[in-house]
Amino acid sequence: QVSLVDSGGDSVDAGESLRLSCVASGHPYSQRLMGWFRQAPGKEREGVAAIYIGDGSTYYAASHKGRFTVSLDNSKTTMYLQMNNLKPEDTAVYTCALGFTPRPSDEFLTNPSLWRFWAQGTQVTVSS
């Protein structure tokens, strides 16, 4: 039984930072790709960042490079998204996802259908 639980969302002012967490359990270790997506009101879900458990390689949507950093804890069961210098346009529900692939790539951030499991989402609100 796969379980994904994300957390860490909050209401903050522009310029502040947040760190989101996603704990994964009950899944095979190999070929695991974990990622973050977000969806703002009235907009489509968009990929933010992903990390491949096998070699730690990371992938970012171009618009999120620099301010956002994805990482894993030492046990490789918890993924983090460090978000710095938050802007009002970052307001969205952030959701972590789990997929399996022998060949991770940027394509996974543009195609939500490639991901198998999703957490419930955590709300991030940034005020100007």
Side-chain angles (χ1 to χ4, degrees):
Q1 183 77 19
V2 174
S3 173
L4 285 177
V5 179
D6 51 21
S7 62
D10 203 350
S11 295
V12 298
D13 292 330
E16 294 187 359
S17 298
L18 275 178
R19 189 177 78 162
L20 306 182
S21 301
C22 175
V23 180
S25 62
H27 53 80
Y29 180 90
S30 63
Q31 302 182 349
R32 176 161 44 102
L33 182 70
M34 296 183 72
W36 289 99
F37 286 77
R38 73 182 189 183
Q39 188 167 19
K43 295 188 177 181
E44 293 186 357
R45 178 177 284 175
E46 63 169 338
V48 176
I51 186 164
Y52 192 56
I53 307 308
D55 61 7
S57 56
T58 57
Y59 305 86
Y60 293 93
S63 58
H64 302 308
K65 284 183 178 179
R67 293 191 301 123
F68 292 0
T69 303
V70 63
S71 63
L72 291 169
D73 70 344
N74 289 337
S75 70
K76 298 186 179 182
T77 59
T78 301
M79 174 181 64
Y80 303 103
L81 183 68
Q82 178 68 40
M83 304 185 293
N84 297 327
N85 189 24
L86 284 163
K87 303 175 181 181
E89 51 265 41
D90 294 319
T91 295
V93 175
Y94 286 73
T95 307
C96 75
L98 175 66
F100 304 97
T101 177
R103 288 180 297 275
S105 69
D106 291 340
E107 179 189 10
F108 278 78
L109 290 177
T110 60
N111 191 347
S113 67
L114 295 177
W115 299 79
R116 288 190 58 187
F117 300 99
W118 296 83
Q120 79 283 1
T122 185
Q123 176 70 47
V124 173
T125 303
V126 185
S127 301
S128 59

